[in-house]
Amino acid sequence: EAGVTQFPSHSVIEKGQTVTLRCDPISGHDNLYWYRRVMGKEIKFLLHFVKESKQDESGMPNNRFLAERTGGTYSTLKVQPAELEDSGVYFCASSPAGERSRYNEQFFGPGTRLTVL
Amino acid sequence: GQSLEQPSEVTAVEGAIVQINCTYQTSGFYGLSWYQQHDGGAPTFLSYNALDGLEETGRFSSFLSRSDSYGYLLLQELQMKDSASYFCAVRDPGENQGGKLIFGQGTELSVKP
């Protein structure tokens, strides 16, 4: 079974540019999450999809961030325009629905390291 | 709100035992989890405690005391490959299942030869 994959692994952009991150969850996982870790700090929640619907977007920093989940499969997170403080590692995670979601376990991807110059 | 506190870094030698503590404050509680992250890699699930006591999985054990809002991860027979960041996490109490995780800031464990 393939794990959660993310693309790109690294992205370096100039302030004001646009970047789109992609996440492919584990097949069959209804729950998809985006998290971010800024240098040395905690992993912070951004957004939660259940299938194609946004269940919780309380962690999205501002309206420069836009997340979508097409057809309940892969998800994209777009940052437009990027600011210096958006630098960090963006993780995607997925988990199965309902009773199959045991032990609070979420399956994480390797992350996209975003650097805004 | 929810918050978790853990030490920022711990150093130990190969073969030793190390304990990483975590205290939490939540309005509700659905268990304490631990994740491991090697530099540049994906956080991976290590353990979960919903009830008080010790859960053992090989060299790793995790403990929970709900009355003290406290838990710890115990790593035995440390190996160099155990050098990583370790995060404690709780699930957001607003959702019964499938909700977001709230993480501590992470403890960077360095294992020396």
Side-chain angles (χ1 to χ4, degrees), chain A residues 17-39:
Chain A
Q17 289 185 319
T18 297
V19 63
T20 300
L21 314 180
R22 173 171 171 142
C23 167
D24 286 81
I26 292 173
S27 178
H29 281 192
D30 287 347
N31 292 300
L32 187 149
Y33 312 84
W34 284 98
Y35 294 88
R36 175 173 72 174
R37 189 180 192 203
V38 174
M39 178 92 79

PDB file of all heavy atoms in Angstrom, chain A residues 17-39:
ATOM      1  N   GLN A  17       5.157  35.668  -5.057  1.00  0.00           N
ATOM      2  CA  GLN A  17       4.849  34.631  -6.037  1.00  0.00           C
ATOM      3  C   GLN A  17       3.790  33.676  -5.493  1.00  0.00           C
ATOM      4  O   GLN A  17       3.394  33.746  -4.319  1.00  0.00           O
ATOM      5  CB  GLN A  17       6.117  33.866  -6.418  1.00  0.00           C
ATOM      6  CG  GLN A  17       7.087  34.684  -7.254  1.00  0.00           C
ATOM      7  CD  GLN A  17       8.273  33.867  -7.728  1.00  0.00           C
ATOM      8  OE1 GLN A  17       8.830  33.049  -6.981  1.00  0.00           O
ATOM      9  NE2 GLN A  17       8.684  34.089  -8.963  1.00  0.00           N
ATOM     10  N   THR A  18       3.364  32.781  -6.370  1.00  0.00           N
ATOM     11  CA  THR A  18       2.347  31.785  -6.029  1.00  0.00           C
ATOM     12  C   THR A  18       2.982  30.400  -6.002  1.00  0.00           C
ATOM     13  O   THR A  18       3.845  30.096  -6.832  1.00  0.00           O
ATOM     14  CB  THR A  18       1.212  31.809  -7.063  1.00  0.00           C
ATOM     15  OG1 THR A  18       0.588  33.088  -7.019  1.00  0.00           O
ATOM     16  CG2 THR A  18       0.180  30.720  -6.789  1.00  0.00           C
ATOM     17  N   VAL A  19       2.556  29.595  -5.062  1.00  0.00           N
ATOM     18  CA  VAL A  19       3.039  28.213  -5.013  1.00  0.00           C
ATOM     19  C   VAL A  19       1.844  27.304  -4.747  1.00  0.00           C
ATOM     20  O   VAL A  19       0.925  27.661  -4.003  1.00  0.00           O
ATOM     21  CB  VAL A  19       4.122  28.032  -3.928  1.00  0.00           C
ATOM     22  CG1 VAL A  19       3.577  28.309  -2.525  1.00  0.00           C
ATOM     23  CG2 VAL A  19       4.742  26.647  -3.993  1.00  0.00           C
ATOM     24  N   THR A  20       1.860  26.157  -5.386  1.00  0.00           N
ATOM     25  CA  THR A  20       0.805  25.164  -5.176  1.00  0.00           C
ATOM     26  C   THR A  20       1.441  23.862  -4.734  1.00  0.00           C
ATOM     27  O   THR A  20       2.315  23.322  -5.414  1.00  0.00           O
ATOM     28  CB  THR A  20      -0.014  24.940  -6.464  1.00  0.00           C
ATOM     29  OG1 THR A  20      -0.619  26.179  -6.840  1.00  0.00           O
ATOM     30  CG2 THR A  20      -1.109  23.906  -6.225  1.00  0.00           C
ATOM     31  N   LEU A  21       0.989  23.378  -3.596  1.00  0.00           N
ATOM     32  CA  LEU A  21       1.481  22.118  -3.048  1.00  0.00           C
ATOM     33  C   LEU A  21       0.421  21.047  -3.298  1.00  0.00           C
ATOM     34  O   LEU A  21      -0.780  21.315  -3.221  1.00  0.00           O
ATOM     35  CB  LEU A  21       1.730  22.263  -1.540  1.00  0.00           C
ATOM     36  CG  LEU A  21       2.485  23.513  -1.082  1.00  0.00           C
ATOM     37  CD1 LEU A  21       2.653  23.496   0.428  1.00  0.00           C
ATOM     38  CD2 LEU A  21       3.805  23.642  -1.791  1.00  0.00           C
ATOM     39  N   ARG A  22       0.905  19.851  -3.538  1.00  0.00           N
ATOM     40  CA  ARG A  22      -0.033  18.762  -3.819  1.00  0.00           C
ATOM     41  C   ARG A  22       0.161  17.629  -2.823  1.00  0.00           C
ATOM     42  O   ARG A  22       1.277  17.326  -2.418  1.00  0.00           O
ATOM     43  CB  ARG A  22       0.157  18.237  -5.233  1.00  0.00           C
ATOM     44  CG  ARG A  22      -0.690  16.979  -5.513  1.00  0.00           C
ATOM     45  CD  ARG A  22      -0.703  16.566  -6.941  1.00  0.00           C
ATOM     46  NE  ARG A  22      -1.342  15.263  -7.089  1.00  0.00           N
ATOM     47  CZ  ARG A  22      -2.148  14.943  -8.117  1.00  0.00           C
ATOM     48  NH1 ARG A  22      -2.386  15.816  -9.070  1.00  0.00           N
ATOM     49  NH2 ARG A  22      -2.688  13.741  -8.174  1.00  0.00           N
ATOM     50  N   CYS A  23      -0.950  16.998  -2.487  1.00  0.00           N
ATOM     51  CA  CYS A  23      -0.932  15.851  -1.574  1.00  0.00           C
ATOM     52  C   CYS A  23      -1.783  14.737  -2.158  1.00  0.00           C
ATOM     53  O   CYS A  23      -2.940  14.968  -2.518  1.00  0.00           O
ATOM     54  CB  CYS A  23      -1.472  16.247  -0.210  1.00  0.00           C
ATOM     55  SG  CYS A  23      -1.834  14.831   0.872  1.00  0.00           S
ATOM     56  N   ASP A  24      -1.241  13.539  -2.215  1.00  0.00           N
ATOM     57  CA  ASP A  24      -2.013  12.358  -2.566  1.00  0.00           C
ATOM     58  C   ASP A  24      -2.125  11.478  -1.320  1.00  0.00           C
ATOM     59  O   ASP A  24      -1.117  10.919  -0.871  1.00  0.00           O
ATOM     60  CB  ASP A  24      -1.344  11.608  -3.709  1.00  0.00           C
ATOM     61  CG  ASP A  24      -1.524  12.313  -5.035  1.00  0.00           C
ATOM     62  OD1 ASP A  24      -0.762  13.264  -5.301  1.00  0.00           O
ATOM     63  OD2 ASP A  24      -2.453  11.936  -5.769  1.00  0.00           O
ATOM     64  N   PRO A  25      -3.323  11.359  -0.781  1.00  0.00           N
ATOM     65  CA  PRO A  25      -3.482  10.568   0.453  1.00  0.00           C
ATOM     66  C   PRO A  25      -3.438   9.078   0.146  1.00  0.00           C
ATOM     67  O   PRO A  25      -3.404   8.670  -1.021  1.00  0.00           O
ATOM     68  CB  PRO A  25      -4.866  10.984   0.936  1.00  0.00           C
ATOM     69  CG  PRO A  25      -5.612  11.277  -0.333  1.00  0.00           C
ATOM     70  CD  PRO A  25      -4.592  11.878  -1.266  1.00  0.00           C
ATOM     71  N   ILE A  26      -3.479   8.295   1.183  1.00  0.00           N
ATOM     72  CA  ILE A  26      -3.595   6.849   1.011  1.00  0.00           C
ATOM     73  C   ILE A  26      -4.970   6.553   0.418  1.00  0.00           C
ATOM     74  O   ILE A  26      -5.979   7.120   0.863  1.00  0.00           O
ATOM     75  CB  ILE A  26      -3.405   6.131   2.355  1.00  0.00           C
ATOM     76  CG1 ILE A  26      -1.953   6.295   2.825  1.00  0.00           C
ATOM     77  CG2 ILE A  26      -3.778   4.655   2.253  1.00  0.00           C
ATOM     78  CD1 ILE A  26      -1.682   5.772   4.225  1.00  0.00           C
ATOM     79  N   SER A  27      -4.979   5.696  -0.578  1.00  0.00           N
ATOM     80  CA  SER A  27      -6.221   5.384  -1.261  1.00  0.00           C
ATOM     81  C   SER A  27      -7.289   4.894  -0.284  1.00  0.00           C
ATOM     82  O   SER A  27      -7.017   4.029   0.564  1.00  0.00           O
ATOM     83  CB  SER A  27      -5.956   4.303  -2.319  1.00  0.00           C
ATOM     84  OG  SER A  27      -7.147   3.933  -2.973  1.00  0.00           O
ATOM     85  N   GLY A  28      -8.476   5.474  -0.391  1.00  0.00           N
ATOM     86  CA  GLY A  28      -9.570   5.046   0.470  1.00  0.00           C
ATOM     87  C   GLY A  28      -9.705   5.826   1.754  1.00  0.00           C
ATOM     88  O   GLY A  28     -10.684   5.659   2.496  1.00  0.00           O
ATOM     89  N   HIS A  29      -8.743   6.683   2.042  1.00  0.00           N
ATOM     90  CA  HIS A  29      -8.821   7.508   3.253  1.00  0.00           C
ATOM     91  C   HIS A  29      -9.701   8.734   2.979  1.00  0.00           C
ATOM     92  O   HIS A  29      -9.365   9.572   2.162  1.00  0.00           O
ATOM     93  CB  HIS A  29      -7.430   7.956   3.694  1.00  0.00           C
ATOM     94  CG  HIS A  29      -6.673   6.896   4.412  1.00  0.00           C
ATOM     95  ND1 HIS A  29      -5.498   7.160   5.096  1.00  0.00           N
ATOM     96  CD2 HIS A  29      -6.913   5.574   4.575  1.00  0.00           C
ATOM     97  CE1 HIS A  29      -5.060   6.046   5.641  1.00  0.00           C
ATOM     98  NE2 HIS A  29      -5.899   5.063   5.336  1.00  0.00           N
ATOM     99  N   ASP A  30     -10.789   8.828   3.738  1.00  0.00           N
ATOM    100  CA  ASP A  30     -11.701   9.950   3.554  1.00  0.00           C
ATOM    101  C   ASP A  30     -11.175  11.238   4.173  1.00  0.00           C
ATOM    102  O   ASP A  30     -11.453  12.321   3.723  1.00  0.00           O
ATOM    103  CB  ASP A  30     -13.063   9.629   4.181  1.00  0.00           C
ATOM    104  CG  ASP A  30     -13.857   8.617   3.362  1.00  0.00           C
ATOM    105  OD1 ASP A  30     -13.476   8.344   2.204  1.00  0.00           O
ATOM    106  OD2 ASP A  30     -14.858   8.098   3.891  1.00  0.00           O
ATOM    107  N   ASN A  31     -10.431  11.075   5.290  1.00  0.00           N
ATOM    108  CA  ASN A  31      -9.921  12.253   5.998  1.00  0.00           C
ATOM    109  C   ASN A  31      -8.582  12.678   5.423  1.00  0.00           C
ATOM    110  O   ASN A  31      -7.673  11.859   5.258  1.00  0.00           O
ATOM    111  CB  ASN A  31      -9.734  11.949   7.487  1.00  0.00           C
ATOM    112  CG  ASN A  31     -11.046  11.730   8.199  1.00  0.00           C
ATOM    113  OD1 ASN A  31     -11.896  12.600   8.233  1.00  0.00           O
ATOM    114  ND2 ASN A  31     -11.212  10.550   8.773  1.00  0.00           N
ATOM    115  N   LEU A  32      -8.453  13.957   5.151  1.00  0.00           N
ATOM    116  CA  LEU A  32      -7.197  14.518   4.674  1.00  0.00           C
ATOM    117  C   LEU A  32      -6.950  15.815   5.439  1.00  0.00           C
ATOM    118  O   LEU A  32      -7.856  16.638   5.579  1.00  0.00           O
ATOM    119  CB  LEU A  32      -7.248  14.782   3.164  1.00  0.00           C
ATOM    120  CG  LEU A  32      -5.939  15.229   2.487  1.00  0.00           C
ATOM    121  CD1 LEU A  32      -5.894  14.735   1.050  1.00  0.00           C
ATOM    122  CD2 LEU A  32      -5.734  16.719   2.560  1.00  0.00           C
ATOM    123  N   TYR A  33      -5.745  15.962   5.931  1.00  0.00           N
ATOM    124  CA  TYR A  33      -5.377  17.098   6.766  1.00  0.00           C
ATOM    125  C   TYR A  33      -4.152  17.790   6.174  1.00  0.00           C
ATOM    126  O   TYR A  33      -3.265  17.154   5.619  1.00  0.00           O
ATOM    127  CB  TYR A  33      -5.008  16.645   8.189  1.00  0.00           C
ATOM    128  CG  TYR A  33      -5.976  15.696   8.825  1.00  0.00           C
ATOM    129  CD1 TYR A  33      -5.898  14.329   8.558  1.00  0.00           C
ATOM    130  CD2 TYR A  33      -6.953  16.137   9.713  1.00  0.00           C
ATOM    131  CE1 TYR A  33      -6.780  13.438   9.146  1.00  0.00           C
ATOM    132  CE2 TYR A  33      -7.832  15.239  10.308  1.00  0.00           C
ATOM    133  CZ  TYR A  33      -7.738  13.895  10.014  1.00  0.00           C
ATOM    134  OH  TYR A  33      -8.616  13.011  10.604  1.00  0.00           O
ATOM    135  N   TRP A  34      -4.105  19.093   6.386  1.00  0.00           N
ATOM    136  CA  TRP A  34      -2.893  19.863   6.129  1.00  0.00           C
ATOM    137  C   TRP A  34      -2.406  20.436   7.454  1.00  0.00           C
ATOM    138  O   TRP A  34      -3.197  20.964   8.246  1.00  0.00           O
ATOM    139  CB  TRP A  34      -3.149  20.996   5.148  1.00  0.00           C
ATOM    140  CG  TRP A  34      -3.281  20.570   3.718  1.00  0.00           C
ATOM    141  CD1 TRP A  34      -4.430  20.346   3.024  1.00  0.00           C
ATOM    142  CD2 TRP A  34      -2.216  20.347   2.789  1.00  0.00           C
ATOM    143  NE1 TRP A  34      -4.159  19.984   1.734  1.00  0.00           N
ATOM    144  CE2 TRP A  34      -2.800  19.982   1.557  1.00  0.00           C
ATOM    145  CE3 TRP A  34      -0.827  20.420   2.865  1.00  0.00           C
ATOM    146  CZ2 TRP A  34      -2.049  19.688   0.419  1.00  0.00           C
ATOM    147  CZ3 TRP A  34      -0.070  20.133   1.742  1.00  0.00           C
ATOM    148  CH2 TRP A  34      -0.679  19.768   0.540  1.00  0.00           C
ATOM    149  N   TYR A  35      -1.100  20.317   7.664  1.00  0.00           N
ATOM    150  CA  TYR A  35      -0.438  20.878   8.831  1.00  0.00           C
ATOM    151  C   TYR A  35       0.788  21.655   8.361  1.00  0.00           C
ATOM    152  O   TYR A  35       1.288  21.465   7.260  1.00  0.00           O
ATOM    153  CB  TYR A  35       0.051  19.774   9.788  1.00  0.00           C
ATOM    154  CG  TYR A  35      -1.018  18.953  10.453  1.00  0.00           C
ATOM    155  CD1 TYR A  35      -1.527  17.805   9.845  1.00  0.00           C
ATOM    156  CD2 TYR A  35      -1.514  19.301  11.714  1.00  0.00           C
ATOM    157  CE1 TYR A  35      -2.496  17.029  10.484  1.00  0.00           C
ATOM    158  CE2 TYR A  35      -2.482  18.535  12.349  1.00  0.00           C
ATOM    159  CZ  TYR A  35      -2.965  17.397  11.725  1.00  0.00           C
ATOM    160  OH  TYR A  35      -3.923  16.634  12.351  1.00  0.00           O
ATOM    161  N   ARG A  36       1.306  22.489   9.251  1.00  0.00           N
ATOM    162  CA  ARG A  36       2.521  23.231   8.924  1.00  0.00           C
ATOM    163  C   ARG A  36       3.419  23.280  10.151  1.00  0.00           C
ATOM    164  O   ARG A  36       2.928  23.455  11.280  1.00  0.00           O
ATOM    165  CB  ARG A  36       2.174  24.657   8.491  1.00  0.00           C
ATOM    166  CG  ARG A  36       3.375  25.553   8.255  1.00  0.00           C
ATOM    167  CD  ARG A  36       2.967  26.885   7.674  1.00  0.00           C
ATOM    168  NE  ARG A  36       2.297  27.747   8.627  1.00  0.00           N
ATOM    169  CZ  ARG A  36       1.953  29.003   8.348  1.00  0.00           C
ATOM    170  NH1 ARG A  36       2.209  29.516   7.158  1.00  0.00           N
ATOM    171  NH2 ARG A  36       1.343  29.735   9.245  1.00  0.00           N
ATOM    172  N   ARG A  37       4.719  23.133   9.916  1.00  0.00           N
ATOM    173  CA  ARG A  37       5.684  23.314  10.998  1.00  0.00           C
ATOM    174  C   ARG A  37       6.632  24.428  10.597  1.00  0.00           C
ATOM    175  O   ARG A  37       7.370  24.328   9.608  1.00  0.00           O
ATOM    176  CB  ARG A  37       6.470  22.038  11.294  1.00  0.00           C
ATOM    177  CG  ARG A  37       7.302  22.220  12.570  1.00  0.00           C
ATOM    178  CD  ARG A  37       8.124  21.015  12.945  1.00  0.00           C
ATOM    179  NE  ARG A  37       8.648  21.204  14.315  1.00  0.00           N
ATOM    180  CZ  ARG A  37       9.721  20.591  14.790  1.00  0.00           C
ATOM    181  NH1 ARG A  37      10.395  19.723  14.041  1.00  0.00           N
ATOM    182  NH2 ARG A  37      10.122  20.817  16.031  1.00  0.00           N
ATOM    183  N   VAL A  38       6.597  25.482  11.377  1.00  0.00           N
ATOM    184  CA  VAL A  38       7.538  26.577  11.199  1.00  0.00           C
ATOM    185  C   VAL A  38       8.738  26.277  12.076  1.00  0.00           C
ATOM    186  O   VAL A  38       8.597  25.692  13.154  1.00  0.00           O
ATOM    187  CB  VAL A  38       6.874  27.919  11.577  1.00  0.00           C
ATOM    188  CG1 VAL A  38       7.868  29.056  11.539  1.00  0.00           C
ATOM    189  CG2 VAL A  38       5.706  28.191  10.658  1.00  0.00           C
ATOM    190  N   MET A  39       9.900  26.674  11.625  1.00  0.00           N
ATOM    191  CA  MET A  39      11.183  26.343  12.243  1.00  0.00           C
ATOM    192  C   MET A  39      11.139  26.131  13.754  1.00  0.00           C
ATOM    193  O   MET A  39      10.924  27.060  14.521  1.00  0.00           O
ATOM    194  CB  MET A  39      12.152  27.479  11.933  1.00  0.00           C
ATOM    195  CG  MET A  39      13.516  27.313  12.557  1.00  0.00           C
ATOM    196  SD  MET A  39      14.664  26.482  11.492  1.00  0.00           S
ATOM    197  CE  MET A  39      15.123  27.804  10.393  1.00  0.00           C
TER     198      MET A  39
END
